[in-house]
Amino acid sequence: MKKVVLAYSGGLDTSVAIKWLKDKGYEVIAYMADVGQEKTTTAAVERAKKAGASKVVVKDLKRKFAADYIWPALKAGAVYEGRYTLATALSRPLIAAEQVAVAHAEKATAVAHGCTGKGNDQVRFEVTTQALDGSLEIIAPVREWEFKSREEEIRYAKRHRIPIDVTKKSPFSIDKNIWGVSVEAGVLEDPNVEPPQASFQWTRGAESRNPKERAIEIQFEKGVPVGLEGKRLDALKLILRLNALGSEYGIGRMDMIENRLVGIKSRETYEAPAATILNQAHKDLESLVLDRELLHFKEGIAQKYAELVYYGLWFTPLRVALDRFVEETQKNVSGSVRVKLRKYSSQVVGRKSPHSLYRESLATYGAKDKFDQRLAKGFIDLWALPYKK
Ligand code: ARG
């Protein structure tokens, strides 16, 4: 029998997909990637088995996610359309790459995912699969099957005794991992409707909390966050700590209309406290240690990098080449940044680095001034020369 490895989330779609794939003649291996979505529970594993999976493979990818996907994107300064810190987009190539590895280990000839035909995630999954193993068959049940509504799908599940998650289904579509939460659908489909409290997953209730303003200090080494308040922390702990802390303040909420790769505009809200704080701090430290030309050039790279991630082009020569460039830019990005946490916002209030290019003796308006102001006239005259003539 042909074997397929299905990226299984534990939800209704992928549970039904197990049965659907079996009916198409496949032996189904359910693969669950743990990127911090808190859904890879034993209950979910049981559901997959009851739905008919011959085997369930769970992979804890959280550390790999942080080290090999999140940190490179942070170093690049990748933020899509100025706001989205790419939590969902960054996780897909990792999940898909590990899925290919499971397919190889299990000698499967096909992979399947539960993405719809309207989103970016199908693209990210399938481009990754094709880039890593073009011989694998790709099946997208949700894109193909005949169900016209969720109700119809639930009826099918009941008829075939496919267990479904008994916890109440959220009226929103939620994707969560350690780098952030993405929320869409439901009332959010009207771009003029304010996100209701119920749509917030991590920062809910921030409105009624009044945590005390506080400054935290984040240590960086070569562009990578390595500690908090002078204490070294591994990547995962540091991210989780900042998510917990930032959520208290309601930091990292984003509400945006974004341009999907498939050509439609969609309304999505995000909560990404750690990503927001770390991007701010990292960018600020760069402004202290990178010279002007490199800093400005790198801003263009950041945008390109964000597009590559968003468009599912992680496993491509350009992304690899950009990583090499970015790595070179980070050798002096070490030091620490003080960030003040306030209700709904964070702000950098101080930064220091042994590689600082800031010279007080040049910048000062005080008595210690070493800047020879007489030189300015000649500089300006030459700068203006082409325009004067
Ligand atoms: N729009 C985001 C992206 O394409 C998130 C997609 C998943 N969002 C969700 N709410 N299920 O990366």
Side-chain angles (χ1 to χ4, degrees):
M1 210 200 289
K2 287 186 292 184
K3 254 194 219 177
V4 61
V5 176
L6 167 72
Y8 180 72
S9 74
L12 176 67
D13 284 345
T14 50
S15 296
V16 167
I18 292 177
K19 165 79 180 141
W20 187 88
L21 286 163
K22 282 184 73 179
D23 286 349
K24 292 257 181 274
Y26 291 89
E27 174 187 341
V28 183
I29 295 171
Y31 147 69
M32 302 191 83
D34 178 4
V35 284
Q37 70 274 45
E38 296 149 359
K39 272 191 181 163
T40 50
T41 54
T42 44
V45 170
E46 283 314 308
R47 268 203 301 285
K49 285 190 186 144
K50 287 211 185 91
S54 64
K55 185 172 177 182
V56 183
V57 180
V58 181
K59 284 201 177 194
D60 181 354
L61 304 178
K62 295 193 288 293
R63 282 167 203 282
K64 198 178 176 71
F65 187 33
D68 299 346
Y69 293 78
I70 294 174
W71 285 170
L74 178 72
K75 288 190 267 188
V79 178
Y80 187 66
E81 294 186 340
R83 287 181 282 185
Y84 173 33
T85 46
L86 296 164
T88 299
L90 279 167
S91 72
R92 296 317 190 233
L94 167 62
I95 296 170
E98 295 294 320
Q99 184 180 23
V100 170
V102 174
H104 290 164
E106 301 292 337
K107 300 201 170 26
T109 55
V111 291
H113 61 71
C115 308
T116 74
K118 288 178 81 169
N120 299 310
D121 288 331
Q122 53 175 344
V123 182
R124 299 167 183 148
F125 264 100
E126 295 179 31
V127 170
T128 300
T129 302
Q130 294 184 43
L132 298 181
D133 182 351
S135 74
L136 284 169
E137 182 192 359
I138 299 172
I139 312 170
V142 178
R143 220 163 47 197
E144 288 177 31
W145 65 34
E146 52 290 339
F147 306 117
K148 281 178 197 66
S149 66
R150 196 177 157 79
E151 289 64 41
E152 208 178 303
E153 217 181 313
I154 291 172
R155 274 200 299 278
Y156 174 90
K158 287 196 172 138
R159 191 155 10 104
H160 295 283
R161 297 216 176 78
I162 299 164
I164 47 183
D165 194 353
V166 287
T167 51
K168 206 167 138 274
K169 162 80 180 155
S170 161
F172 306 99
S173 161
I174 299 162
D175 183 67
K176 202 190 283 186
N177 65 49
I178 56 170
W179 200 227
V181 193
S182 310
V183 185
E184 63 184 15
V187 294
L188 295 173
E189 283 177 0
D190 178 345
N192 200 29
V193 163
E194 183 178 341
Q197 274 308 310
S199 71
F200 295 116
Q201 307 302 305
W202 287 352
T203 63
R204 193 176 304 167
E207 283 64 19
S208 54
R209 282 194 294 274
N210 282 303
K212 245 186 43 219
E213 272 186 26
R214 70 179 270 197
I216 54 169
E217 195 179 68
I218 306 165
Q219 284 73 47
F220 287 86
E221 271 173 29
K222 295 193 165 61
V224 172
V226 293
L228 261 187
E229 313 293 20
K231 204 176 128 226
R232 280 191 92 84
L233 280 182
D234 68 46
L236 187 56
K237 284 213 183 88
L238 192 138
I239 291 169
L240 295 181
R241 175 88 192 101
L242 285 179
N243 276 335
L245 205 54
S247 293
E248 274 298 297
Y249 291 81
I251 291 169
R253 284 181 180 175
M254 258 94 52
D255 174 352
M256 63 188 281
I257 308 297
E258 74 188 36
N259 288 289
R260 282 193 195 162
L261 180 55
V262 295
I264 50 182
K265 286 190 188 292
S266 69
R267 200 277 188 93
E268 188 109 31
T269 65
Y270 298 101
E271 291 162 275
T276 300
I277 294 167
L278 289 174
N279 267 293
Q280 256 179 346
H282 177 265
K283 195 176 164 109
D284 194 276
L285 187 56
E286 283 191 332
S287 66
L288 185 68
V289 302
L290 300 189
D291 76 278
R292 181 185 63 205
E293 293 310 308
L294 179 53
L295 190 76
H296 290 184
F297 187 78
K298 193 170 174 288
E299 283 173 9
I301 298 295
Q303 184 174 339
K304 188 73 205 172
Y305 201 101
E307 280 173 10
L308 288 179
V309 171
Y310 192 87
Y311 296 168
L313 302 178
W314 183 265
F315 288 100
T316 61
L318 180 55
R319 198 273 306 163
V320 174
L322 289 184
D323 267 343
R324 295 272 283 276
F325 171 81
V326 169
E327 202 51 39
E328 171 67 23
T329 67
Q330 299 298 292
K331 56 186 186 198
N332 287 335
V333 187
S334 303
S336 57
V337 181
R338 243 172 33 255
V339 182
K340 183 145 275 174
L341 309 183
R342 300 196 169 95
K343 191 154 166 165
Y344 301 135
S345 76
S346 51
Q347 211 166 44
V348 174
V349 292
R351 70 289 282 161
K352 63 175 188 234
S353 166
H355 308 293
S356 170
L357 298 179
Y358 179 89
R359 294 291 176 270
E360 199 177 347
S361 59
L362 292 178
T364 183
Y365 287 99
K368 288 186 282 181
D369 192 3
K370 288 266 170 16
F371 186 93
D372 186 346
Q373 298 199 20
R374 288 165 312 176
L375 296 177
K377 181 170 166 23
F379 167 73
I380 298 166
D381 287 349
L382 289 182
W383 188 240
L385 188 62
Y387 313 109
K388 189 172 177 185
K389 295 298 158 202

